[in-house]
Amino acid sequence: MNVRSICLAILYDGDATGYEIRKLSVEGEYSYFVDASYGAIYPALARLEQEEFVTSRVEQQDGKPAKKIYSITKTGRATFIQSLFEKLGEDEYRSEFLLFLRFASELPQSLVEQRLNERLAQIDSDLADFDRMKREHNHPGDAWVIDFGRTCMQAARHYIEAHGAELIALARPDRDDAAAAE
Amino acid sequence: MNVRSICLAILYDGDATGYEIRKLSVEGEYSYFVDASYGAIYPALARLEQEEFVTSRVEQQDGKPAKKIYSITKTGRATFIQSLFEKLGEDEYRSEFLLFLRFASELPQSLVEQRLNERLAQIDSDLADFDRMKREHNHPGDAWVIDFGRTCMQAARHYIEAHGAELIALARPDRDDAAAAE
DNA sequence: TCGCACATGTAACGTGTTACATGATTAG
DNA sequence: CTAATCATGTAACACGTTACATGTGCGA
Protein backbone atom coordinates (compact mmCIF):
# COMPACT_ATOMS: atom_id res chain seq x y z
CA MET A 1 0.00 0.00 0.00
CA ASN A 2 1.97 2.93 -1.23
CA VAL A 3 1.44 6.64 -0.78
CA ARG A 4 -0.21 6.95 -4.20
CA SER A 5 -3.03 4.59 -3.26
CA ILE A 6 -3.60 6.36 0.02
CA CYS A 7 -3.91 9.70 -1.74
CA LEU A 8 -6.53 8.23 -4.06
CA ALA A 9 -8.38 6.58 -1.16
CA ILE A 10 -8.57 9.86 0.73
CA LEU A 11 -9.55 11.89 -2.32
CA TYR A 12 -12.22 9.30 -3.10
CA ASP A 13 -14.27 10.71 -0.22
CA GLY A 14 -13.71 14.36 -1.11
CA ASP A 15 -11.23 17.04 -2.16
CA ALA A 16 -8.17 17.69 -0.05
CA THR A 17 -4.79 19.42 -0.07
CA GLY A 18 -1.44 17.73 0.43
CA TYR A 19 -1.29 19.27 3.86
CA GLU A 20 -4.63 17.78 4.85
CA ILE A 21 -3.75 14.37 3.44
CA ARG A 22 -0.67 14.26 5.59
CA LYS A 23 -2.67 15.20 8.68
CA LEU A 24 -5.23 12.48 8.02
CA SER A 25 -2.55 9.90 7.47
CA VAL A 26 -0.51 10.78 10.55
CA GLU A 27 -3.04 11.88 13.15
CA GLY A 28 -6.42 11.17 11.63
CA GLU A 29 -8.53 8.25 10.61
CA TYR A 30 -6.05 6.99 8.04
CA SER A 31 -3.26 6.66 10.55
CA TYR A 32 -4.37 3.03 10.96
CA PHE A 33 -3.57 2.40 7.32
CA VAL A 34 -0.52 4.58 6.66
CA ASP A 35 1.82 7.22 7.97
CA ALA A 36 3.15 9.37 5.17
CA SER A 37 5.25 12.52 5.23
CA TYR A 38 5.22 15.63 3.03
CA GLY A 39 8.27 14.41 1.18
CA ALA A 40 6.23 11.42 0.02
CA ILE A 41 2.83 13.03 -0.47
CA TYR A 42 3.65 16.10 -2.55
CA PRO A 43 5.61 14.23 -5.22
CA ALA A 44 2.93 11.51 -5.28
CA LEU A 45 0.18 14.07 -5.91
CA ALA A 46 2.22 15.74 -8.64
CA ARG A 47 2.66 12.42 -10.37
CA LEU A 48 -1.01 11.53 -9.99
CA GLU A 49 -1.89 14.85 -11.61
CA GLN A 50 0.42 14.17 -14.57
CA GLU A 51 -1.27 10.82 -15.03
CA GLU A 52 -4.68 12.53 -14.84
CA PHE A 53 -5.90 10.54 -11.86
CA VAL A 54 -6.40 13.82 -10.01
CA THR A 55 -6.80 17.50 -10.90
CA SER A 56 -5.90 20.55 -8.83
CA ARG A 57 -7.01 24.12 -8.38
CA VAL A 58 -5.26 26.83 -6.37
CA GLU A 59 -7.22 28.79 -3.80
CA GLN A 60 -5.85 32.05 -2.44
CA GLN A 61 -6.38 32.77 1.24
CA ASP A 62 -5.70 36.02 3.05
CA GLY A 63 -3.01 35.77 5.65
CA LYS A 64 -2.39 32.10 4.98
CA PRO A 65 -0.43 30.52 2.10
CA ALA A 66 -2.37 29.57 -1.02
CA LYS A 67 -3.92 26.10 -1.00
CA LYS A 68 -3.66 23.58 -3.80
CA ILE A 69 -6.82 21.56 -3.66
CA TYR A 70 -6.84 18.18 -5.34
CA SER A 71 -9.87 16.35 -6.75
CA ILE A 72 -10.00 12.78 -7.97
CA THR A 73 -11.04 12.25 -11.61
CA LYS A 74 -13.33 9.58 -13.00
CA THR A 75 -10.27 7.68 -14.22
CA GLY A 76 -8.74 8.02 -10.79
CA ARG A 77 -11.80 6.52 -9.13
CA ALA A 78 -11.96 3.63 -11.57
CA THR A 79 -8.25 2.90 -11.23
CA PHE A 80 -8.44 2.89 -7.45
CA ILE A 81 -11.47 0.60 -7.28
CA GLN A 82 -9.87 -1.65 -9.88
CA SER A 83 -6.78 -1.94 -7.70
CA LEU A 84 -9.00 -3.36 -4.93
CA PHE A 85 -9.96 -6.24 -7.22
CA GLU A 86 -6.34 -7.35 -7.43
CA LYS A 87 -4.70 -9.56 -4.87
CA LEU A 88 -4.33 -7.69 -1.60
CA GLY A 89 -0.97 -7.24 0.07
CA GLU A 90 -0.62 -8.94 3.43
CA ASP A 91 -1.46 -7.08 6.60
CA GLU A 92 1.55 -6.19 8.61
CA TYR A 93 1.87 -5.81 12.29
CA ARG A 94 5.12 -4.66 13.82
CA SER A 95 5.20 -4.36 17.56
CA GLU A 96 8.19 -3.21 19.56
CA PHE A 97 5.90 -3.53 22.54
CA LEU A 98 5.55 -7.29 22.11
CA LEU A 99 9.28 -7.69 21.49
CA PHE A 100 9.86 -5.83 24.74
CA LEU A 101 7.42 -8.06 26.64
CA ARG A 102 9.08 -11.15 25.27
CA PHE A 103 12.18 -10.16 27.20
CA ALA A 104 10.30 -9.41 30.42
CA SER A 105 12.37 -11.99 32.28
CA GLU A 106 15.50 -9.91 31.62
CA LEU A 107 13.97 -6.61 32.71
CA PRO A 108 13.05 -5.01 36.03
CA GLN A 109 9.49 -5.50 37.24
CA SER A 110 8.85 -1.79 37.61
CA LEU A 111 9.69 -1.18 33.96
CA VAL A 112 7.48 -4.01 32.74
CA GLU A 113 4.63 -2.77 34.88
CA GLN A 114 5.07 0.77 33.63
CA ARG A 115 5.04 -0.30 29.99
CA LEU A 116 1.93 -2.37 30.55
CA ASN A 117 0.18 0.62 32.11
CA GLU A 118 1.31 2.92 29.32
CA ARG A 119 -0.18 0.50 26.86
CA LEU A 120 -3.51 0.41 28.66
CA ALA A 121 -3.61 4.21 28.56
CA GLN A 122 -2.72 4.15 24.85
CA ILE A 123 -5.53 1.71 24.13
CA ASP A 124 -8.02 3.86 26.03
CA SER A 125 -7.00 6.89 24.03
CA ASP A 126 -7.29 4.96 20.76
CA LEU A 127 -10.69 3.70 21.81
CA ALA A 128 -11.82 7.27 22.45
CA ASP A 129 -10.49 8.21 19.00
CA PHE A 130 -12.57 5.46 17.47
CA ASP A 131 -15.71 6.77 19.15
CA ARG A 132 -15.04 10.25 17.80
CA MET A 133 -14.38 8.86 14.32
CA LYS A 134 -17.56 6.85 14.38
CA ARG A 135 -19.54 9.98 15.07
CA GLU A 136 -17.83 11.77 12.16
CA HIS A 137 -17.67 8.93 9.67
CA ASN A 138 -19.05 9.54 6.21
CA HIS A 139 -18.21 6.43 4.25
CA PRO A 140 -20.63 3.47 4.62
CA GLY A 141 -17.92 0.91 5.38
CA ASP A 142 -16.32 3.08 8.07
CA ALA A 143 -18.56 2.03 10.93
CA TRP A 144 -17.82 -1.64 10.32
CA VAL A 145 -14.07 -1.13 10.12
CA ILE A 146 -14.05 1.08 13.22
CA ASP A 147 -15.98 -1.50 15.22
CA PHE A 148 -13.62 -4.19 14.01
CA GLY A 149 -10.68 -2.17 15.31
CA ARG A 150 -12.45 -1.50 18.56
CA THR A 151 -13.22 -5.17 19.10
CA CYS A 152 -9.58 -6.13 18.62
CA MET A 153 -8.34 -3.36 20.88
CA GLN A 154 -10.75 -4.30 23.60
CA ALA A 155 -9.62 -7.91 23.43
CA ALA A 156 -6.02 -6.72 23.82
CA ARG A 157 -7.02 -4.55 26.76
CA HIS A 158 -8.79 -7.38 28.53
CA TYR A 159 -5.88 -9.72 28.01
CA ILE A 160 -3.42 -7.26 29.51
CA GLU A 161 -5.68 -6.63 32.48
CA ALA A 162 -6.27 -10.33 33.10
CA HIS A 163 -2.71 -11.56 32.54
CA GLY A 164 -0.40 -8.59 33.08
CA ALA A 165 0.46 -9.73 36.59
CA GLU A 166 1.83 -13.02 35.25
CA LEU A 167 4.33 -11.16 33.12
CA ILE A 168 5.37 -8.89 35.96
CA ALA A 169 5.92 -11.94 38.13
CA LEU A 170 8.30 -13.23 35.47
CA ALA A 171 10.38 -10.05 35.50
CA ARG A 172 13.33 -9.31 37.77
CA PRO A 173 12.78 -7.92 41.24
CA ASP A 174 13.67 -4.27 41.12
CA ARG A 175 17.03 -4.18 42.89
CA ASP A 176 18.23 -6.42 40.11
CA ASP A 177 17.98 -3.93 37.28
CA ALA A 178 21.68 -3.08 37.31
CA ALA A 179 22.42 -6.76 36.82
CA ALA A 180 19.99 -6.93 33.92
CA ALA A 181 21.77 -4.10 32.12
CA GLU A 182 25.18 -5.63 32.66
CA MET B 1 12.84 -1.61 15.11
CA ASN B 2 15.56 -2.07 12.59
CA VAL B 3 17.20 -5.21 11.26
CA ARG B 4 20.14 -4.82 13.64
CA SER B 5 17.92 -5.10 16.71
CA ILE B 6 16.13 -8.11 15.32
CA CYS B 7 19.41 -9.89 14.71
CA LEU B 8 20.42 -9.24 18.31
CA ALA B 9 17.02 -10.35 19.61
CA ILE B 10 17.23 -13.63 17.72
CA LEU B 11 20.85 -14.26 18.66
CA TYR B 12 19.96 -13.55 22.28
CA ASP B 13 18.26 -16.94 22.44
CA GLY B 14 21.01 -18.84 20.68
CA ASP B 15 23.46 -18.93 17.78
CA ALA B 16 22.19 -18.64 14.23
CA THR B 17 23.30 -18.04 10.66
CA GLY B 18 22.10 -15.21 8.45
CA TYR B 19 20.08 -17.73 6.51
CA GLU B 20 18.30 -18.92 9.64
CA ILE B 21 17.63 -15.39 10.85
CA ARG B 22 15.91 -14.57 7.60
CA LYS B 23 13.76 -17.67 7.85
CA LEU B 24 12.70 -16.85 11.39
CA SER B 25 11.87 -13.29 10.44
CA VAL B 26 9.88 -14.16 7.32
CA GLU B 27 8.18 -17.47 8.08
CA GLY B 28 8.90 -18.14 11.71
CA GLU B 29 8.10 -16.77 15.11
CA TYR B 30 9.66 -13.40 14.44
CA SER B 31 7.52 -12.72 11.41
CA TYR B 32 5.15 -10.91 13.78
CA PHE B 33 7.90 -8.42 14.59
CA VAL B 34 9.74 -8.03 11.29
CA ASP B 35 10.19 -9.22 7.76
CA ALA B 36 13.78 -8.82 6.67
CA SER B 37 15.56 -9.95 3.52
CA TYR B 38 19.09 -11.23 2.90
CA GLY B 39 20.11 -7.89 1.50
CA ALA B 40 19.36 -6.35 4.88
CA ILE B 41 20.49 -9.14 7.20
CA TYR B 42 23.93 -9.98 5.84
CA PRO B 43 25.23 -6.39 5.90
CA ALA B 44 23.69 -5.88 9.36
CA LEU B 45 25.46 -8.94 10.75
CA ALA B 46 28.75 -7.84 9.21
CA ARG B 47 28.42 -4.45 10.87
CA LEU B 48 27.45 -5.97 14.20
CA GLU B 49 30.57 -8.12 14.05
CA GLN B 50 32.79 -5.09 13.38
CA GLU B 51 31.25 -3.40 16.40
CA GLU B 52 31.88 -6.55 18.45
CA PHE B 53 28.25 -7.12 19.37
CA VAL B 54 28.47 -10.54 17.73
CA THR B 55 31.21 -13.01 16.75
CA SER B 56 31.18 -15.59 14.01
CA ARG B 57 32.70 -18.93 13.22
CA VAL B 58 32.61 -20.81 9.95
CA GLU B 59 31.45 -24.42 9.90
CA GLN B 60 32.12 -26.63 6.90
CA GLN B 61 29.41 -29.05 5.86
CA ASP B 62 29.67 -31.82 3.32
CA GLY B 63 27.46 -31.33 0.36
CA LYS B 64 26.06 -28.05 1.62
CA PRO B 65 27.70 -24.63 1.54
CA ALA B 66 29.72 -23.58 4.57
CA LYS B 67 27.76 -21.93 7.38
CA LYS B 68 28.75 -18.74 9.14
CA ILE B 69 27.37 -19.08 12.63
CA TYR B 70 26.94 -15.93 14.67
CA SER B 71 26.96 -15.67 18.46
CA ILE B 72 26.03 -12.66 20.52
CA THR B 73 28.74 -11.24 22.83
CA LYS B 74 28.33 -9.97 26.37
CA THR B 75 28.43 -6.42 25.06
CA GLY B 76 25.82 -7.33 22.47
CA ARG B 77 23.49 -8.67 25.13
CA ALA B 78 23.91 -5.62 27.33
CA THR B 79 23.38 -3.24 24.44
CA PHE B 80 20.23 -5.00 23.34
CA ILE B 81 18.68 -5.09 26.83
CA GLN B 82 19.69 -1.49 27.35
CA SER B 83 17.83 -0.54 24.15
CA LEU B 84 14.66 -1.97 25.70
CA PHE B 85 14.95 0.55 28.54
CA GLU B 86 14.66 3.41 26.06
CA LYS B 87 11.40 4.75 24.83
CA LEU B 88 9.70 2.19 22.60
CA GLY B 89 8.74 2.96 19.03
CA GLU B 90 5.02 2.90 18.38
CA ASP B 91 3.36 -0.26 17.18
CA GLU B 92 2.33 -0.12 13.60
CA TYR B 93 -0.52 -1.83 11.91
CA ARG B 94 -0.99 -1.52 8.17
CA SER B 95 -3.95 -3.32 6.71
CA GLU B 96 -4.85 -3.38 3.06
CA PHE B 97 -7.62 -5.72 4.10
CA LEU B 98 -9.33 -3.03 6.18
CA LEU B 99 -8.87 -0.43 3.47
CA PHE B 100 -10.52 -2.84 1.08
CA LEU B 101 -13.44 -3.44 3.45
CA ARG B 102 -13.92 0.28 3.90
CA PHE B 103 -14.85 0.44 0.22
CA ALA B 104 -17.21 -2.55 0.39
CA SER B 105 -20.10 -0.38 -0.83
CA GLU B 106 -18.25 0.15 -4.15
CA LEU B 107 -17.42 -3.51 -4.67
CA PRO B 108 -19.34 -6.62 -5.72
CA GLN B 109 -20.78 -8.78 -2.94
CA SER B 110 -19.09 -11.92 -4.18
CA LEU B 111 -15.66 -10.28 -3.91
CA VAL B 112 -16.31 -8.96 -0.41
CA GLU B 113 -17.54 -12.35 0.70
CA GLN B 114 -14.54 -14.08 -0.82
CA ARG B 115 -12.09 -11.76 0.90
CA LEU B 116 -13.83 -12.24 4.22
CA ASN B 117 -13.59 -16.01 3.85
CA GLU B 118 -9.96 -15.80 2.82
CA ARG B 119 -9.30 -13.83 5.96
CA LEU B 120 -11.00 -16.39 8.16
CA ALA B 121 -8.84 -19.09 6.61
CA GLN B 122 -5.74 -16.95 7.14
CA ILE B 123 -6.60 -16.43 10.80
CA ASP B 124 -7.11 -20.17 11.30
CA SER B 125 -3.74 -20.90 9.78
CA ASP B 126 -2.09 -18.23 11.98
CA LEU B 127 -3.81 -19.68 15.02
CA ALA B 128 -2.45 -23.12 14.18
CA ASP B 129 1.01 -21.54 13.82
CA PHE B 130 0.69 -20.06 17.27
CA ASP B 131 -0.13 -23.46 18.75
CA ARG B 132 2.92 -24.96 17.13
CA MET B 133 5.09 -22.08 18.36
CA LYS B 134 3.81 -22.45 21.88
CA ARG B 135 4.87 -26.06 21.90
CA GLU B 136 8.35 -25.09 20.67
CA HIS B 137 8.88 -21.92 22.64
CA ASN B 138 12.03 -21.58 24.70
CA HIS B 139 11.98 -18.03 26.03
CA PRO B 140 9.94 -17.43 29.21
CA GLY B 141 8.01 -14.45 27.80
CA ASP B 142 7.04 -16.31 24.63
CA ALA B 143 3.98 -18.05 25.99
CA TRP B 144 2.49 -14.76 27.19
CA VAL B 145 3.11 -12.99 23.90
CA ILE B 146 1.75 -15.89 21.88
CA ASP B 147 -1.43 -16.00 23.95
CA PHE B 148 -1.78 -12.26 23.56
CA GLY B 149 -1.62 -12.64 19.80
CA ARG B 150 -4.04 -15.53 19.87
CA THR B 151 -6.55 -13.57 21.94
CA CYS B 152 -6.51 -10.67 19.48
CA MET B 153 -6.81 -12.96 16.46
CA GLN B 154 -9.71 -14.82 17.98
CA ALA B 155 -11.49 -11.54 18.67
CA ALA B 156 -11.00 -10.58 15.02
CA ARG B 157 -12.31 -13.94 13.91
CA HIS B 158 -15.42 -13.70 16.04
CA TYR B 159 -16.14 -10.19 14.81
CA ILE B 160 -15.92 -11.25 11.18
CA GLU B 161 -18.16 -14.26 11.80
CA ALA B 162 -20.72 -12.22 13.69
CA HIS B 163 -20.78 -9.15 11.46
CA GLY B 164 -19.47 -10.22 8.05
CA ALA B 165 -22.98 -10.46 6.66
CA GLU B 166 -23.62 -6.78 7.41
CA LEU B 167 -20.71 -5.80 5.22
CA ILE B 168 -21.77 -8.08 2.40
CA ALA B 169 -25.23 -6.55 2.56
CA LEU B 170 -23.62 -3.16 2.04
CA ALA B 171 -21.80 -4.28 -1.10
CA ARG B 172 -23.17 -4.18 -4.66
CA PRO B 173 -25.33 -7.01 -5.97
CA ASP B 174 -23.18 -9.05 -8.28
CA ARG B 175 -24.50 -8.03 -11.70
CA ASP B 176 -23.33 -4.57 -10.77
CA ASP B 177 -19.63 -5.26 -10.76
CA ALA B 178 -19.00 -3.80 -14.20
CA ALA B 179 -20.58 -0.56 -13.00
CA ALA B 180 -18.37 -0.55 -9.93
CA ALA B 181 -15.25 -0.76 -12.05
CA GLU B 182 -16.35 1.99 -14.37
C1' DT C 1 8.66 37.43 21.29
C1' DC C 2 8.67 32.68 20.89
C1' DG C 3 6.77 29.16 18.70
C1' DC C 4 3.01 27.04 16.48
C1' DA C 5 -0.44 26.37 12.67
C1' DC C 6 -1.01 27.03 8.09
C1' DA C 7 0.95 25.60 3.42
C1' DT C 8 4.08 23.87 -0.46
C1' DG C 9 7.94 21.99 -2.02
C1' DT C 10 12.98 20.00 -2.66
C1' DA C 11 17.48 17.64 -1.68
C1' DA C 12 20.11 14.62 0.93
C1' DC C 13 19.98 10.70 3.19
C1' DG C 14 18.71 6.14 5.18
C1' DT C 15 16.95 1.71 4.94
C1' DG C 16 15.36 -2.10 2.92
C1' DT C 17 13.94 -4.95 -1.37
C1' DT C 18 14.73 -7.40 -5.74
C1' DA C 19 17.43 -9.60 -8.59
C1' DC C 20 21.54 -11.66 -9.51
C1' DA C 21 25.95 -14.64 -9.02
C1' DT C 22 27.50 -19.17 -7.35
C1' DG C 23 26.99 -24.09 -6.59
C1' DA C 24 26.06 -28.81 -4.52
C1' DT C 25 22.35 -32.01 -2.99
C1' DT C 26 17.94 -33.99 -2.63
C1' DA C 27 13.07 -34.85 -3.34
C1' DG C 28 9.36 -35.29 -6.65
C1' DC D 1 15.18 -33.46 -15.06
C1' DT D 2 13.21 -29.89 -12.59
C1' DA D 3 12.58 -27.43 -8.64
C1' DA D 4 13.54 -26.59 -4.09
C1' DT D 5 16.64 -26.23 -0.07
C1' DC D 6 20.78 -24.94 1.75
C1' DA D 7 23.99 -20.86 2.07
C1' DT D 8 26.44 -16.29 1.43
C1' DG D 9 26.90 -12.14 -0.49
C1' DT D 10 26.52 -7.74 -3.68
C1' DA D 11 24.65 -4.05 -6.74
C1' DA D 12 20.92 -1.54 -8.48
C1' DC D 13 16.88 0.23 -7.28
C1' DA D 14 12.57 1.82 -4.90
C1' DC D 15 10.57 4.18 -1.45
C1' DG D 16 10.17 6.96 2.16
C1' DT D 17 12.01 10.19 5.99
C1' DT D 18 14.37 14.27 7.80
C1' DA D 19 15.70 18.56 7.42
C1' DC D 20 15.59 22.66 5.14
C1' DA D 21 13.77 26.89 2.50
C1' DT D 22 10.00 30.30 2.59
C1' DG D 23 6.49 33.28 4.63
C1' DT D 24 2.20 35.14 7.42
C1' DG D 25 -0.79 35.53 11.37
C1' DC D 26 -2.12 34.38 15.93
C1' DG D 27 -2.11 33.09 20.74
C1' DA D 28 0.64 32.50 25.20
Side-chain angles (χ1 to χ4, degrees):
Chain A
M1 203 167 27
N2 50 15
V3 176
R4 277 165 63 82
S5 311
I6 292 303
C7 289
L8 288 179
I10 290 177
L11 292 172
Y12 201 96
D13 295 332
D15 296 355
T17 65
Y19 189 82
E20 287 162 354
I21 290 175
R22 184 198 153 264
K23 259 209 140 178
L24 281 167
S25 85
V26 173
E27 303 156 34
E29 336 181 19
Y30 287 86
S31 58
Y32 300 92
F33 304 124
V34 248
D35 197 15
S37 59
Y38 294 131
I41 289 167
Y42 285 119
L45 285 170
R47 222 186 108 195
L48 284 169
E49 190 169 21
Q50 267 192 354
E51 293 166 309
E52 293 182 38
F53 294 143
V54 303
T55 58
S56 71
R57 72 199 125 93
V58 175
E59 202 170 86
Q60 298 300 329
Q61 302 181 111
D62 37 287
K64 290 179 213 164
K67 274 183 184 181
K68 200 163 171 188
I69 302 165
Y70 287 91
S71 307
I72 192 166
T73 63
K74 220 178 166 183
T75 328
R77 270 179 209 282
T79 307
F80 175 68
I81 293 297
Q82 203 51 51
S83 77
L84 297 177
F85 279 72
E86 275 148 48
K87 209 177 139 280
L88 257 42
E90 295 225 332
D91 283 21
E92 45 188 271
Y93 181 54
R94 303 267 169 278
S95 175
E96 282 194 35
F97 172 68
L98 290 181
L99 187 66
F100 170 89
L101 292 185
R102 225 184 137 246
F103 286 91
S105 59
E106 312 292 315
L107 294 161
Q109 291 190 318
S110 57
L111 184 65
V112 173
E113 193 175 358
Q114 188 199 324
R115 288 283 155 78
L116 250 17
N117 286 329
E118 279 166 11
R119 172 54 51 123
L120 287 176
Q122 175 71 55
I123 290 175
D124 288 337
S125 129
D126 285 351
L127 247 21
D129 267 6
F130 285 174
D131 287 338
R132 185 184 45 72
M133 273 182 220
K134 218 185 158 185
R135 262 177 269 124
E136 291 166 16
H137 80 276
N138 40 17
H139 211 90
D142 277 351
W144 197 95
V145 172
I146 292 169
D147 280 335
F148 177 88
R150 180 155 50 191
T151 301
C152 295
M153 286 232 166
Q154 250 149 11
R157 196 186 198 295
H158 289 150
Y159 185 84
I160 293 172
E161 277 191 326
H163 301 282
E166 296 162 28
L167 244 200
I168 296 170
L170 229 105
R172 304 198 171 201
D174 263 38
R175 284 155 294 186
D176 228 16
D177 66 338
E182 198 204 318
Chain B
M1 203 167 27
N2 49 16
V3 177
R4 278 166 61 82
S5 311
I6 293 302
C7 290
L8 288 179
I10 290 177
L11 292 172
Y12 201 97
D13 295 331
D15 297 354
T17 66
Y19 188 82
E20 287 162 353
I21 290 175
R22 183 197 154 264
K23 259 210 139 179
L24 281 168
S25 85
V26 173
E27 302 157 35
E29 337 181 20
Y30 286 86
S31 58
Y32 301 91
F33 304 125
V34 247
D35 197 15
S37 60
Y38 295 131
I41 289 167
Y42 284 119
L45 285 171
R47 223 186 106 198
L48 284 168
E49 190 169 19
Q50 265 191 356
E51 295 167 308
E52 295 182 35
F53 294 143
V54 304
T55 57
S56 72
R57 72 202 126 92
V58 175
E59 201 169 85
Q60 298 300 328
Q61 302 180 112
D62 39 286
K64 291 181 210 162
K67 275 183 182 180
K68 199 163 169 189
I69 302 165
Y70 288 91
S71 307
I72 193 166
T73 63
K74 220 178 167 184
T75 328
R77 270 178 208 282
T79 307
F80 175 68
I81 292 296
Q82 202 52 51
S83 77
L84 296 177
F85 279 70
E86 275 147 48
K87 206 176 141 281
L88 255 43
E90 294 226 331
D91 282 20
E92 46 187 88
Y93 182 54
R94 303 267 169 278
S95 175
E96 281 192 39
F97 172 67
L98 290 181
L99 187 67
F100 171 89
L101 292 184
R102 224 183 138 246
F103 287 91
S105 59
E106 313 292 315
L107 294 161
Q109 292 190 317
S110 57
L111 185 64
V112 174
E113 192 175 358
Q114 190 200 323
R115 288 282 155 81
L116 250 17
N117 286 330
E118 280 167 9
R119 173 54 51 124
L120 287 176
Q122 175 71 55
I123 291 175
D124 288 337
S125 130
D126 285 350
L127 248 21
D129 267 6
F130 285 175
D131 287 338
R132 185 184 43 72
M133 273 181 219
K134 219 185 156 184
R135 261 176 273 124
E136 290 167 15
H137 80 275
N138 38 18
H139 211 91
D142 276 351
W144 197 96
V145 172
I146 291 167
D147 281 335
F148 177 88
R150 179 154 51 192
T151 301
C152 295
M153 287 232 164
Q154 249 149 10
R157 195 183 199 296
H158 289 149
Y159 185 83
I160 292 171
E161 279 191 324
H163 300 281
E166 295 162 27
L167 244 200
I168 295 168
L170 227 105
R172 306 198 169 200
D174 263 38
R175 286 154 292 187
D176 228 16
D177 66 338
E182 199 203 317

